[in-house]
Amino acid sequence: MKRTPHRLLRRPLAAAMTVAGLIGLIAAAPREPAPAAVAPVAAAENTATVFYYTGTRNWSAYHLHYAPDGGAWTSVPGIRMEAACTDWVKRTVDLGSADGLTATFTDGSGVWDNNAGKNYELGTGSITVKDGAVAHSDPCAGTGPGPDPTPTPTPGGGSGTAEVFYSTTAAGWTTTNLHYRPDGGAWSALPGVGMEAACTGWVKRSADLGDATAMRAAFNNGNGVWDNNNGGDYTIPAGRTTVRDGKVTTDAKDPCAAEVPDTTAPTVPGKVRAAVDGVSVVLSWEPSTDDRGVTKYQVTRTGGAGGTMVTDAGSTVHSDTGLEAKTAYGYTVRAVDAAGNVSAASAAVTATTGEAPTAPAPGRPLGTDPRKDPVYFVLTARFNDGDSGNNRGGSQHEKSGNAAQDDPMFRGDFKGLVDKLDYIKGLGFSAVWITPVVLNRSDYDYHGYHGYDFYRVDPRLESAGASYQDLINAAHAKGMKIYQDVVYNHSSRWGAKGLFTPKTYGVRDTQWSWYYDERDEGFEYDGLTVEPKSGKSYYNGDLWSTAEPSGNTCLNWGKPTGGSSPEGYRIYNCQWPDPTSGMFPKAYYHNCWIGNWEGEDSRSCWLHEDLADLNTESAPVQNYLIGAYDKYIDMGVDGFRVDTAVHIPRTTWNRRFLPAIQERVTERFGAGAAKNFFVFGEVAAFVNDKWNRGSVNHSAQFYTWKERKEYSADDERAALEMYDYEQQRGTGAQPVSDNAFLNGNAYHTPDHSRFSGMNVIDMRMHMNFGDANNAYSNGKDSDDSYNDATYNVVYVDSHDYGPNKSSERYTGGTDAWAENMSLMWTFRGIPALYYGSEIEFQAGRKIDCGPSCPLATTGRAYFGDHLAGEVEVSGFGKVTSATGAVAGTLAKPLARHLQRLNEIRRAVPALQMGQYSTEGITGSMAFKRRYTDAASGTDSFALVTVSGGATYTGIPDGTYRDAVTGDTRVVTGGTLAVPAPGKGNLRVYVLDLGGRNAAPGKIGTAGPYLK
């Protein structure tokens, strides 16, 4: 096929044209050409019968205003159309020698449909125009006299006729056309012949091939979007053919034919395991297989006062909670398919519960829209020390220099955080993101990212009366959320307790007895308890062997390598973790080192020896992780921040982990809580472009979308198939969204039907926050590629990096910090602040240097000294009294700036949840935002400019009040000019819509920047 030429608008301005008509007839941009493979189309007829759909309009009359190709336009409003059949009007026009026409439609009274300003380009024959989509068919055929334009196919497909079925699942088109050319013949008129619905996800059309035995074909939606097999067209023979996701199947079965009844049951679930956790039992099992697919499992429990109970489970993990203490229970599992066939029961397993916990009763998530809640991010172990009895220095205490500073790595705890929740609330934050809480294990594990026992909260964080559950409950009592940092990608190098722990490395000779403790068979590591033989809490006597362990696969185990440690100690083969050594089985861990950070292996290889990469495509690993994080969902956390999300394939997130989260929250707390359970992933893309070096699989926005096609049932194969498919599609063929954008000045209901369930940290804005203008410009540029950018979490720096991948905490200065904050708190997304940034804590210090320097000299220094004293608050951002050092902390310029920003944001719904637009606005960081919710009666419209001046045109007339100064402006001509407020300052002019939507006027008191 060859490109058709652009058709430019050719329309005279009639003397009698009305102003409304003139607006409707503004010249449009040229139409996109047909795909590269489209051949010239010769005119086969000189008339066109145009059918127009009336089902979505309520016009009293319908007119066709048109110009034949090369001819003049009809007089406004055009020729009147006549009723054709239900929901359709039509008009037949003589085209003379033209091979098509340009058209618009109108009610004759100034209301127009001109294809969003582009006009409709129509061919000849029968043409339908429905909701902006063009097709070639007669929608009234079969409803009255006249021939059926669809050729009758030969049953099963036969010579001379091609019966084509096309899958619309991936494209999502509402109208589909078949554009084809029989071998040796001419192409059909653009855009082709309309295909008709066949069954869910499929359309079909039969084409008469004459004497030909095959044809070339392409498909389109009638509105410029094509599937032409990547420019090569499809070759389709006579007979029945299906086309699905680019794959052509000839002599195909009818995809819409009634399926043979499914009478085959799934296979029996295997390897059922039961793990006891107090008065809960966590069941896991290997997935069953089925020729049509397993839809759920039935778990049968026996024992206890409740007798026999059957519960449905959607994944291969089931947590049975609230059981009787010290009671034996039995379990079997059956698999169920879509037809209701049930497998035989699995082998039975038994479990005996332990003592009932003394911990407080589980909470429940607050369940409100997460966009309302600014986030304060703390490294729990470094924030505030509420209980010195759980402080621990670890094996690197002296080497790091922490001992000399009297600053153990595990210093802060839940008690210290509970004690300072009012400080965080006094700043105005209503969500707290905490680092991982699971029991960690490494030589330097205070940060929480070296998980060892994922089912146990690290005792170094808990105290009597200040358990993790106590923290969750205390935060909820203050109206504050807890977002738990979670790690699915890796465990510690000591493995994951309950899944796999290595026993094959470490030789304990006289040189290494200082490091490897003497074995204590009765001791269980918990990071807190001192082991009596060694007198240490960082016991590692379970990780060495004097003889080669049974089943070892690590080559040359226990033999000297010839190398030495920095201290001069002899190094042995298999002494330290290595993914290629065989000490970590493939069933549980990936067995490779990462080579290319933007390549496929970044999702399936180790990042570091302390981050043993879990095989997340393996069912036992999935079961272990799902069961573990179900425990914390049950405790009532409000969301998960997902560490290293990019290092797990999107297929695994979309198939396993994200549905499991939704299922568990729904089961425990209902669909409303599940909708607002906030999951945001760290998809680290340290580049300044929209797509991470052109790799869609490694870009943050990619993880916000569902899959677009089906892949192999095997998760490992599916990950490779998805990687290849999406990389080949490339950045230009990725889905786009307008969920973050206003339609003019109007809010529209967002479409989350293709949302994966994971939102993300806005890495592109983060990378560019060296300057607020850069962050703003880069954020806007990417927003159409996220499913909904209003849920992006936005921060300047963190525990890992500052802007532009800086290894130091932000050093831009107080004015720049204030400007960044003003943008973050008013632009789309959810602002997040790393602890201490409210006083420029440790500005310019290296964020992290491991145990090679004292923590006190880094960006992860202890913050509690700045929090000493008492704080009383009356609400978010409202401190009634403060004493001691914390009073000075709250008096700092940025702390006061944050308080007022949070007050303003909390009072203006548009700043929390609104869509935005820059249309008709001048100004470097200026935009308008609106949020409308009919159910609650909320309608909030605001104009924002940060630092610089702005002029807004085309805005609704009315009274606007600035939330910063209280200034009132009355707009009567759709224009408002705002002078520059100054660096770090801003203006928020809110439209007064009366009643509950009245503009609030000035909010809070003037501060160092907002004035």
Side-chain angles (χ1 to χ4, degrees):
M1 294 194 250
K2 157 178 160 184
R3 287 191 182 273
T4 57
H6 287 300
R7 289 177 181 167
L8 300 177
L9 183 65
R10 301 175 300 278
R11 176 181 299 152
L13 294 178
M17 183 178 293
T18 63
V19 173
L22 178 60
I23 293 173
L25 298 177
I26 292 174
R31 187 183 69 174
E32 278 294 312
V38 177
V41 180
E45 309 176 49
N46 61 356
T47 63
T49 300
V50 182
F51 293 84
Y52 186 73
Y53 184 66
T54 65
T56 52
R57 301 195 180 274
N58 190 28
W59 294 351
S60 58
Y62 296 83
H63 296 79
L64 171 65
H65 182 51
Y66 73 95
D69 290 352
W73 283 89
T74 56
S75 299
V76 174
I79 57 176
R80 187 155 183 157
M81 304 182 77
E82 61 188 21
C85 55
T86 302
D87 292 334
W88 291 94
V89 293
K90 71 176 180 178
R91 185 71 190 214
T92 300
V93 298
D94 186 352
L95 301 178
S97 60
D99 60 358
L101 68 155
T102 300
T104 62
F105 303 88
T106 175
D107 69 348
S109 299
V111 180
W112 289 83
D113 172 10
N114 62 358
N115 193 21
K118 294 182 291 186
N119 301 332
Y120 291 96
E121 301 290 346
L122 309 178
T124 59
S126 295
I127 307 162
T128 62
V129 179
K130 180 180 180 180
D131 298 332
V134 177
H136 277 249
S137 61
D138 181 351
C140 300
T143 62
D148 185 346
T150 304
T152 303
T154 304
S159 177
T161 300
E163 186 183 20
V164 185
F165 287 82
Y166 182 76
S167 172
T168 60
T169 301
W173 296 342
T174 56
T175 300
T176 306
N177 299 301
L178 169 65
H179 185 49
Y180 70 97
R181 177 178 68 79
D183 290 351
W187 284 96
S188 57
L190 285 172
V193 294
M195 303 186 76
E196 61 187 27
C199 56
T200 301
W202 291 93
V203 293
K204 70 176 181 178
R205 183 76 191 210
S206 292
D208 186 357
L209 303 182
D211 295 331
T213 58
M215 65 180 183
R216 291 175 64 192
F219 304 89
N220 66 83
N221 71 347
N223 217 16
V225 181
W226 287 81
D227 172 9
N228 61 2
N229 194 24
N230 295 320
D233 301 331
Y234 291 98
T235 298
I236 296 177
R240 181 182 295 123
T241 300
T242 60
V243 180
R244 181 175 185 175
D245 296 329
K247 181 181 179 182
V248 176
T249 303
T250 59
D251 295 327
K253 296 180 180 179
D254 184 344
C256 299
E259 293 187 0
V260 176
D262 180 7
T263 58
T264 304
T267 59
V268 177
K271 298 183 179 180
V272 181
R273 303 176 182 86
V276 175
D277 182 11
V279 289
S280 299
V281 173
V282 180
L283 291 173
S284 64
W285 56 90
E286 295 286 352
S288 298
T289 59
D290 185 74
D291 58 344
R292 307 286 177 88
V294 175
T295 58
K296 65 179 181 180
Y297 295 89
Q298 292 178 348
V299 178
T300 301
R301 182 188 77 199
T302 57
T308 301
M309 179 175 292
V310 179
T311 305
D312 288 342
S315 68
T316 54
V317 174
H318 175 68
S319 297
D320 198 12
T321 60
L323 302 173
E324 299 167 54
K326 296 183 176 181
T327 302
Y329 291 91
Y331 296 90
T332 58
V333 184
R334 300 173 185 264
V336 184
D337 64 17
N341 297 306
V342 182
S343 74
S346 68
V349 295
T350 59
T352 300
T353 56
E355 295 282 359
T358 57
R364 58 179 299 117
L366 296 183
T368 54
D369 192 313
R371 294 173 296 180
K372 295 181 178 181
D373 302 300
V375 180
Y376 192 77
F377 170 35
V378 302
L379 278 165
T380 311
R382 307 301 301 158
F383 185 62
N384 187 53
D385 191 3
D387 176 10
S388 61
N390 57 17
N391 293 358
R392 292 293 182 271
S395 66
Q396 304 297 303
H397 190 47
E398 284 77 22
K399 178 181 178 180
S400 65
N402 290 339
Q405 302 273 345
D406 192 22
D407 185 25
M409 59 169 184
F410 265 94
R411 187 172 178 184
D413 45 39
F414 294 146
K415 186 175 190 304
L417 185 51
V418 169
D419 290 346
K420 299 305 174 183
L421 285 176
D422 277 346
Y423 166 76
I424 298 172
K425 185 171 183 176
L427 288 173
F429 292 91
S430 50
V432 185
W433 157 15
I434 60 173
T435 40
V437 304
V438 305
L439 174 60
N440 265 232
R441 192 170 192 183
S442 79
D443 292 334
Y444 213 51
D445 56 1
Y446 66 96
H447 42 66
Y449 297 100
H450 296 166
Y452 172 65
D453 187 346
F454 287 68
Y455 286 78
R456 183 173 187 178
V457 175
D458 200 309
R460 291 168 289 187
L461 297 175
E462 294 195 300
S463 309
S467 67
Y468 185 33
Q469 188 68 68
D470 287 315
L471 169 63
I472 295 168
N473 293 354
H476 287 174
K478 296 179 183 293
M480 302 169 70
K481 295 180 177 179
I482 295 294
Y483 294 150
Q484 178 180 328
D485 212 323
V486 294
V487 185
Y488 288 76
N489 178 66
H490 56 264
S491 73
S492 71
R493 60 176 169 164
W494 272 262
K497 184 182 178 184
L499 178 70
F500 172 79
T501 53
K503 301 290 184 183
T504 63
Y505 64 87
V507 171
R508 188 177 191 264
D509 60 7
T510 55
Q511 294 191 41
W512 285 101
S513 60
W514 69 274
Y515 181 78
Y516 290 113
D517 302 319
E518 184 180 346
R519 195 179 309 282
D520 185 344
E521 299 293 350
F523 183 76
E524 181 178 343
Y525 168 84
D526 66 8
L528 180 70
T529 304
V530 172
E531 192 274 317
K533 289 185 178 181
S534 66
K536 299 185 297 188
S537 61
Y538 50 93
Y539 165 80
N540 56 22
D542 54 345
L543 296 176
W544 59 269
S545 176
T546 55
E548 182 173 354
S550 174
N552 170 60
T553 60
C554 184
L555 297 177
N556 299 314
W557 184 90
K559 295 180 180 179
T561 63
S564 299
S565 73
E567 299 85 358
Y569 302 131
R570 181 168 49 245
I571 300 292
Y572 294 91
N573 280 297
C574 312
Q575 182 129 9
W576 305 112
D578 185 329
T580 64
S581 69
M583 66 177 72
F584 288 85
K586 291 182 179 180
Y588 307 109
Y589 288 90
H590 291 132
N591 291 167
C592 54
W593 287 111
I594 190 172
N596 179 2
W597 288 86
E598 278 76 46
E600 194 282 327
D601 65 338
S602 69
R603 308 176 314 165
S604 56
C605 297
W606 287 38
L607 310 178
H608 187 271
E609 69 176 21
D610 272 335
L611 308 177
D613 201 83
L614 290 163
N615 180 0
T616 50
E617 293 72 66
S618 161
V621 173
Q622 293 168 357
N623 293 346
Y624 178 84
L625 293 170
I626 291 170
Y629 291 125
D630 277 353
K631 171 178 178 174
Y632 305 106
I633 290 172
D634 291 350
M635 294 173 74
V637 297
D638 300 276
F640 287 158
R641 180 268 187 181
V642 182
D643 180 72
T644 50
V646 70
H647 298 294
I648 295 176
R650 188 178 73 176
T651 45
T652 304
W653 285 117
N654 285 346
R655 284 182 171 191
R656 309 300 175 199
F657 298 136
L658 295 173
I661 291 171
Q662 281 291 301
E663 177 184 297
R664 188 63 175 185
V665 180
T666 301
E667 175 190 333
R668 300 291 292 175
F669 307 113
K675 177 184 177 183
N676 289 318
F677 187 90
F678 191 45
V679 178
F680 59 107
E682 178 206 26
V683 183
F686 298 112
V687 293
N688 293 310
D689 51 6
K690 183 171 182 175
W691 296 97
N692 186 358
R693 297 180 177 90
S695 173
V696 297
N697 280 276
H698 301 90
S699 299
Q701 56 269 48
F702 182 73
Y703 279 75
T704 66
W705 297 93
K706 288 181 178 179
E707 304 307 330
R708 297 191 283 171
K709 66 188 298 291
E710 293 181 9
Y711 301 104
S712 298
D714 177 76
D715 283 355
E716 187 173 357
R717 282 188 58 193
L720 294 172
E721 291 168 359
M722 185 274 293
Y723 181 89
D724 291 340
Y725 174 77
E726 294 293 358
Q727 290 296 90
Q728 290 172 11
R729 294 293 294 268
T731 60
Q734 295 303 309
V736 294
S737 166
D738 65 356
N739 284 338
F741 306 118
L742 292 173
N743 184 0
N745 294 313
Y747 179 87
H748 62 92
T749 302
D751 177 8
H752 294 150
S753 61
R754 295 182 290 167
F755 175 50
S756 66
M758 181 188 292
N759 296 287
V760 291
I761 294 168
D762 196 317
M763 295 303 295
R764 193 174 181 195
M765 287 194 73
H766 161 59
M767 285 294 292
N768 285 279
F769 256 120
D771 177 79
N773 270 293
N774 283 343
Y776 173 63
S777 298
N778 279 272
K780 289 189 301 178
D781 182 51
S782 294
D783 282 354
D784 65 342
S785 57
Y786 297 96
N787 181 269
D788 191 341
T790 67
Y791 288 86
N792 285 11
V793 172
V794 182
Y795 60 53
V796 173
D797 63 0
S798 71
H799 58 325
D800 289 324
Y801 293 103
N804 203 29
K805 209 177 181 181
S806 168
S807 61
E808 300 173 346
R809 288 197 72 161
Y810 183 67
T811 57
T814 309
D815 289 355
W817 250 125
E819 185 175 56
N820 286 342
M821 291 174 179
S822 292
L823 176 63
M824 292 161 64
W825 261 256
T826 56
F827 188 44
R828 61 95 186 112
I830 302 168
L833 195 78
Y834 186 37
Y835 81 101
S837 292
E838 63 271 28
I839 61 169
E840 297 177 86
F841 182 60
Q842 300 295 90
R845 296 296 185 94
K846 192 174 182 65
I847 292 174
D848 175 37
C849 59
S852 66
C853 70
L855 280 166
T857 65
T858 73
R860 299 179 177 183
Y862 176 67
F863 192 58
D865 294 338
H866 298 276
L867 303 176
E870 300 297 326
V871 177
E872 292 185 1
V873 299
S874 60
F876 291 103
K878 298 180 178 180
V879 176
T880 54
S881 67
T883 61
V886 72
T889 300
L890 287 167
K892 294 288 187 180
L894 292 178
R896 292 174 60 196
H897 187 54
L898 281 167
Q899 287 176 312
R900 195 165 182 214
L901 282 172
N902 273 317
E903 282 189 89
I904 292 171
R905 189 179 190 273
R906 191 168 297 277
V908 183
L911 301 184
Q912 303 167 35
M913 300 166 289
Q915 296 162 343
Y916 78 95
S917 172
T918 59
E919 180 183 359
I921 302 174
T922 62
S924 58
M925 287 187 287
F927 44 90
K928 54 188 174 183
R929 297 191 67 184
R930 189 169 205 151
Y931 176 72
T932 306
D933 178 41
S936 64
T938 301
D939 189 11
S940 175
F941 184 78
L943 309 174
V944 180
T945 184
V946 178
S947 296
T951 299
Y952 305 84
T953 60
I955 60 174
D957 289 343
T959 299
Y960 290 79
R961 293 187 175 88
D962 178 26
V964 178
T965 65
D967 179 48
T968 299
R969 303 284 192 91
V970 178
V971 174
T972 57
T975 299
L976 175 64
V978 179
K983 191 176 180 75
N985 202 351
L986 77 155
R987 296 290 179 260
V988 182
Y989 279 91
V990 182
L991 176 61
D992 193 326
L993 294 168
R996 64 174 298 162
N997 297 314
K1002 182 178 179 180
I1003 300 170
T1005 57
Y1009 289 99
L1010 297 181
K1011 54 188 178 181

